[in-house]
DNA sequence: ATCTTTATCCCGTAAAAAGGGTATTTTAAT
DNA sequence: ATTAAAATACCCTTTTTACGGGATAAAGAT
């Protein structure tokens, strides 16, 4: 049985790296690659890979969204997430989006092959460095409401409660309450730490 | 003339990608790779590449430091920085550290070859997406003193002035002064915004 | 229909930060 | 040797946050 694989990553070097590593395997067939989510979906109309290696950071869309989309339209297709070490917090989200495995870009050939093999057998493959994270439920996901997220970014912008209140047509005491809830949920002692944790847990994104 | 090149990157896939892309070029010879700064310096004792492709994010040391070290011990060796798009703020630092060029990991074969060629001719090569940044001097670099950096991370940890003072054996008014200078230098209206900008300008790192 | 969450608002006190100064000692640079 | 920059420390005032409590209406979920 020959597995057909497809790669989604905006880093050309990574695409070529995986391809180079796997080209000697005659149980695997390279189907092509895409550098963003839109191009990926377009390619999948004609190409039908058994497995997709997918970066979680894409220029047009997050890996989660693309993964969900793929799984919805092509439920049989397996998806393995791909990322760098400092984005570990995305693992859980990726798995929740339906991914079948997760490896780091520092993975060697052996690990990639193992991951593909396990995933094609219907199992879940997680990188050793990453799987430990899932065993620590103490840092459980922080769920913010729409309003709280909105206020969080304004706090990060340096606005005071009353400025935020004006901006959102609220009473400043309302903003104060939301701020309290944010501190509580995020587990920070003050706004500075809150912003730091927000970045670490990807509640705030660097490139926005 | 055959150029010997060396790769420093902790992402195995990137190393293999570059290698695969360049192996058909008989004007280039692959000398090996290292996954961190220490291993790189060790390898350079025996191997003498003409050019090093170097990731700016290494597990043990930042690319700047490694670049400086390399340039100090082996002044003739050319260095091309390598990074992803969202780390553009590092470009200037990398060049100041003596790098001869800078490309993104999304670069294709043509661009890598062009970069190597130009750099070996003694010129500086900058990726088109990146070079624009250097023409915007309006967001000039923020230079913090050692003490200020130290206090910045403690503020991000959520400590108050007096807690920081205790930790560093200072008066709390001293910490207050440093905090004022930080706000001024970083250009923030309060601590929350300061931490946000600090992350955006890489004064604070996510994975520490 | 009932319960829960979300979003809204208010009061009060205490703690901390923001902002305005000034000033001395140490260190680094020229 | 002189100068400049960094690190240290203090005072004052105002603003903002932090933290305690309680309360109500609307929207969603079960």
């Amino acid at each position: 049985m020959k597995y057909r694989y497809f790669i989604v990553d905006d880093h050309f070097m990574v695409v070529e790296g995986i391809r180079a590593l796997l080209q000697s395997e005659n149980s695997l067939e390279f189907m092509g690659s895409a550098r963003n989510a839109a191009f990926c979906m377009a390619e999948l109309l004609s190409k039908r890979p058994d497995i997709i290696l997918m970066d979680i950071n894409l220029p047009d869309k997050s890996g989660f969204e693309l993964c969900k989309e793929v799984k919805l339209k092509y439920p049989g297709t397996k998806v393995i997430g791909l990322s760098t070490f400092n984005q570990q917090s995305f693992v859980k989200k990726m798995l929740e989006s339906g991914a079948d495995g997760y490896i780091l870009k520092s993975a060697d050939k052996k690990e990639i092959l193992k991951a593909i093999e396990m995933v094609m057998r219907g199992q879940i493959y997680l990188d050793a460095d990453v799987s430990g994270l899932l065993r620590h439920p103490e840092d459980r996901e922080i769920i913010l409401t729409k309003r709280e997220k909105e206020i969080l970014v304004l706090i990060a912008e340096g606005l005071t409660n009353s400025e935020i209140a004006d901006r959102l047509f609220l009473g400043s005491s309302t903003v104060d309450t939301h701020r309290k809830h944010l501190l509580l949920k995020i587990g920070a002692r003050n706004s500075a730490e809150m912003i730091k944790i927000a970045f670490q847990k990807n509640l705030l994104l660097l490139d926005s």
Side-chain angles (χ1 to χ4, degrees), chain A:
Chain A
M1 175 65 187
K2 209 172 168 107
Y3 297 136
R4 290 164 305 174
Y5 72 97
F6 189 88
I7 304 171
V8 188
D9 198 317
D10 56 323
H11 302 311
F12 190 63
M13 294 178 185
V14 173
V15 173
E16 288 305 307
I18 298 172
R19 209 178 142 180
L21 285 169
L22 300 184
Q23 74 175 354
S24 60
E25 295 300 309
N26 42 25
S27 64
L28 293 172
E29 187 187 348
F30 178 64
M31 290 293 285
S33 66
R35 59 174 60 230
N36 58 49
F39 193 47
C40 171
M41 291 312 289
E43 285 285 277
L44 291 187
L45 291 175
S46 55
K47 293 171 182 171
R48 283 300 157 74
D50 301 299
I51 193 160
I52 302 177
L53 298 170
M54 182 186 294
D55 187 17
I56 53 157
N57 276 332
L58 297 169
D60 53 343
K61 201 175 278 191
S62 74
F64 325 125
E65 294 171 77
L66 177 58
C67 182
K68 273 184 201 162
E69 233 176 282
V70 167
K71 282 286 178 176
L72 194 71
K73 290 202 180 173
Y74 313 98
T77 309
K78 302 291 183 182
V79 174
I80 294 181
L82 212 59
S83 80
T84 52
F85 193 70
N86 52 10
Q87 301 165 326
Q88 296 194 11
S89 48
F90 285 126
V91 185
K92 217 174 279 179
K93 258 190 179 169
M94 199 70 190
L95 292 176
E96 281 163 8
S97 305
D100 305 278
Y102 206 95
I103 53 178
L104 298 178
K105 289 189 181 174
S106 50
D108 59 10
K109 182 177 173 177
K110 219 172 79 185
E111 190 180 354
I112 303 174
L113 288 175
K114 196 173 159 193
I116 291 178
E117 202 185 314
M118 275 185 69
V119 164
M120 287 314 295
R121 270 198 264 117
Q123 293 176 273
I124 300 283
Y125 180 87
L126 290 183
D127 179 280
D129 290 323
V130 153
S131 62
L133 281 184
L134 298 179
R135 280 196 286 277
H136 295 297
E138 72 260 25
D139 54 327
R140 64 178 164 289
E141 205 188 350
I142 295 165
I143 294 157
L144 301 181
T145 68
K146 214 192 228 170
R147 208 41 150 183
E148 285 165 349
K149 284 180 207 162
E150 204 176 1
I151 287 172
L152 179 61
V153 307
L154 294 177
I155 291 172
E157 293 297 328
L159 303 202
T160 67
N161 285 342
S162 54
E163 285 167 337
I164 295 171
D166 288 351
R167 183 82 73 92
L168 301 179
F169 308 107
L170 298 175
S172 73
S173 35
T174 304
V175 180
D176 185 54
T177 306
H178 287 304
R179 199 188 201 112
K180 277 185 232 176
H181 290 158
L182 280 167
L183 284 169
L184 197 70
K185 280 187 179 179
I186 292 176
R189 302 167 60 188
N190 52 44
S191 298
E193 191 184 14
M194 180 167 76
I195 299 304
K196 185 205 65 167
I197 297 175
F199 274 114
Q200 288 178 335
K201 308 232 170 185
N202 293 298
L203 302 170
L204 286 172
L205 298 178
L206 270 178
D207 41 30
S208 57

